[in-house]
Amino acid sequence: MAKYLPGKTEKFTFGLWTVGNIGRDPFGGPVREQLTPPQIVDLLGSVGGVYGVNFHDNDLVPIDVSPAKRAQIIKDFKKALADNNLQVPMATTNLFGDPAFKDGAFTSGDSRVRAYALQKTMAAMDLGAEFGASTYVFWGGREGAESDAGKDPAEGFKRFREALNFLCEYSMSQNYNYRFALESKPNEPRGHIYLATTGNMLAFIETLDYPEMVGVNPEVAHETMAGLNFTHHVAQALDAGKLFHIDLNDQEPGRYDQDFRFGAANIKQAFFLVKLLTDHNYTGSLHFDAHAYRTEDYDGVREFARGCMRTYMILKEKAQQFNANKEIQALRAQINVTDAKLDALVSGFSPVAAAELKKTKFNRQALGARGLPYERLDQLTMELLLGVK
Ligand code: GLT
Ligand code: MN
Ligand code: MN
């Protein structure tokens, strides 16, 4: 239905590594031929409604390429972007693929690896800036351990902080004006990754030299892998003013890192997420960090990309219907009782407010006895999502 086609108001983006994923897994080789970056951009252009494309340094420029070849790659990619009217809002560094990073990059126990990781990241920031990227993501996939026998994890946080402080200053020194977005994940590829959740990242950011430059890039699959409520983590990031970017996909809890099409696994959680982003007027990139099933050819990859965006658009409409539905809003009003006088008292301490609160009489039994209509409300939500409401 044309109705759910994205416009350019939603900043829907995909990574080169997402639609360009060739379907390799630990048990089998590629099932799709490798496309070049311009071919991936053409593919995204052919899908329609895509705002931009993001990349790791080595998605675009192979790690050991000559300066002449690098220049040619950049030129060809710029042309493909212009042909397809696509932006590059975000860039990042591959600090996980090369064997040099097998025991971490910024948190490696080896000074040489840490220094190389900084050098590689500065070069990748230069590359992203050439394309006008304004967000720079840090996903520390190899920052962690299978066994804590080898390294002090507290030392790891200190090293990670030093690296980010260095790179914030580098960004300022070059006038790149990047906003850094830290992405957490509990495990995969490491047995245990440091700073495992968005909440960990938010606390860590406050220990940096330039906390105002740094926010988060939460990914649906990552909190979900740990059995946590992703929407609540995004809400905390919004509350802190730190939702700089978001990675949308889907994941069944307790499984391997699936990176499914957005909404493929848990439509109700996806709905509450889209509703949260809509209610809070999030206007940043909506990046689908996902890939098509291994069963697909490139037509299937196009279906996958359309599906991610369509599901988002449909859920956005459902969120508007939810907010406009009189019965739903009446039930919510029963749950959310407002007493202006009490709200004023609890909104900030003063000796008068404390004294006033101390002498206020509460009917605790009545508060506990009051039924809250979550069953009806949740059923109505389900019926809305199932399309019968
Ligand atoms: C990798 C990872 C993602 C990160 C990407 C950015 S790369 O695909 O699984 O979650 O966002 O480095
Ligand atoms: Mn992932
Ligand atoms: Mn991600």
Side-chain angles (χ1 to χ4, degrees):
M1 256 203 294
K3 185 173 167 196
Y4 299 117
L5 285 178
K8 297 259 170 175
T9 47
E10 274 75 30
K11 294 197 189 106
F12 288 133
T13 63
F14 291 83
L16 283 181
W17 70 95
T18 63
V19 277
N21 182 289
I22 53 177
R24 196 187 285 125
D25 73 13
F27 304 94
V31 294
R32 292 182 284 270
E33 69 185 285
Q34 179 83 63
L35 301 181
T36 64
Q39 285 175 324
I40 297 173
V41 169
D42 288 343
L43 183 148
L44 286 173
S46 74
V47 166
V50 179
Y51 172 79
V53 60
N54 307 315
F55 57 77
H56 298 87
D57 48 356
N58 305 136
D59 298 339
L60 184 60
V61 181
I63 198 161
D64 283 326
V65 106
S66 70
K69 179 87 180 131
R70 181 182 187 275
Q72 187 61 47
I73 290 171
I74 290 176
K75 194 167 161 238
D76 295 346
F77 193 59
K78 281 192 172 156
K79 181 176 182 310
L81 290 168
D83 289 349
N84 291 283
N85 190 23
L86 290 179
Q87 317 299 314
V88 175
M90 178 272 260
T92 182
T93 327
N94 186 325
L95 294 173
F96 44 88
D98 196 88
F101 301 124
K102 63 189 171 192
D103 194 22
F106 297 145
T107 67
S108 164
D110 186 330
S111 312
R112 295 164 299 179
V113 175
R114 294 201 298 278
Y116 172 57
L118 270 189
Q119 182 200 67
K120 189 172 193 291
T121 304
M122 286 190 287
M125 286 167 66
D126 300 344
L127 181 67
E130 275 205 50
F131 289 91
S134 55
T135 303
Y136 204 87
V137 163
F138 290 85
W139 174 66
R142 297 280 174 196
E143 315 290 7
E146 286 68 46
S147 161
D148 286 328
K151 290 176 299 186
D152 175 353
E155 193 64 24
F157 302 139
K158 183 172 153 276
R159 288 170 175 161
F160 197 13
R161 174 161 47 247
E162 278 171 5
L164 287 171
N165 287 342
F166 187 105
L167 293 166
C168 280
E169 296 227 29
Y170 179 68
S171 178
M172 288 187 277
S173 75
Q174 303 298 307
N175 292 318
Y176 287 159
N177 294 318
Y178 276 124
R179 300 212 303 167
F180 288 1
L182 310 186
E183 178 175 347
S184 61
K185 189 176 183 183
N187 56 275
E188 279 198 57
R190 298 313 297 265
H192 307 273
I193 299 179
Y194 296 150
L195 300 164
T197 71
T198 301
N200 291 68
M201 287 301 184
L202 288 169
F204 177 69
I205 287 167
E206 297 309 314
T207 72
L208 300 175
D209 285 351
Y210 304 96
E212 65 288 347
M213 285 178 67
V214 187
V216 292
N217 177 38
E219 175 173 318
V220 177
H222 295 176
E223 262 77 21
T224 308
M225 283 172 73
L228 300 172
N229 183 312
F230 179 69
T231 303
H232 294 185
H233 284 77
V234 175
Q236 191 187 355
L238 281 168
D239 177 61
K242 291 292 188 191
L243 189 66
F244 286 9
H245 200 263
I246 191 164
D247 277 0
L248 302 173
N249 57 11
D250 216 348
Q251 168 77 32
E252 276 144 0
R255 303 291 170 95
Y256 66 96
D257 179 15
Q258 294 174 311
D259 290 337
F260 283 154
R261 187 182 74 253
F262 180 58
N266 192 336
I267 200 71
K268 191 170 163 185
Q269 278 307 320
F271 167 71
F272 286 125
L273 174 63
V274 173
K275 177 169 147 48
L276 180 84
L277 295 173
T278 309
D279 288 350
H280 289 267
N281 301 313
Y282 171 76
T283 54
S285 281
L286 296 163
H287 175 230
F288 297 107
D289 189 7
H291 49 76
Y293 300 140
R294 195 166 178 269
T295 48
E296 305 309 296
D297 60 13
Y298 279 108
D299 283 336
V301 172
R302 281 188 196 85
E303 283 305 318
F304 149 84
R306 276 189 208 105
C308 284
M309 295 187 286
R310 271 179 68 80
T311 298
Y312 193 96
M313 297 302 290
I314 293 167
L315 291 176
K316 193 173 154 184
E317 183 184 85
K318 296 281 179 194
Q320 282 151 0
Q321 289 170 358
F322 181 100
N323 289 341
N325 184 293
K326 294 219 161 51
E327 191 178 357
I328 287 176
Q329 293 313 316
L331 292 168
R332 280 173 67 96
Q334 284 180 46
I335 291 167
N336 299 288
V337 176
T338 301
D339 180 311
K341 187 174 166 242
L342 289 176
D343 281 349
L345 281 182
V346 301
S347 67
F349 175 84
S350 71
V352 175
E356 196 55 37
L357 262 183
K358 278 185 159 178
K359 66 176 199 231
T360 303
K361 292 242 180 308
F362 292 100
N363 188 341
R364 183 168 50 81
Q365 286 77 6
L367 290 176
R370 194 168 82 86
L372 301 177
Y374 273 95
E375 285 291 358
R376 178 77 189 137
L377 181 54
D378 191 67
Q379 180 65 23
L380 286 175
T381 307
M382 292 307 290
E383 293 191 9
L384 192 90
L385 293 179
L386 292 170
V388 298
K389 194 77 203 149

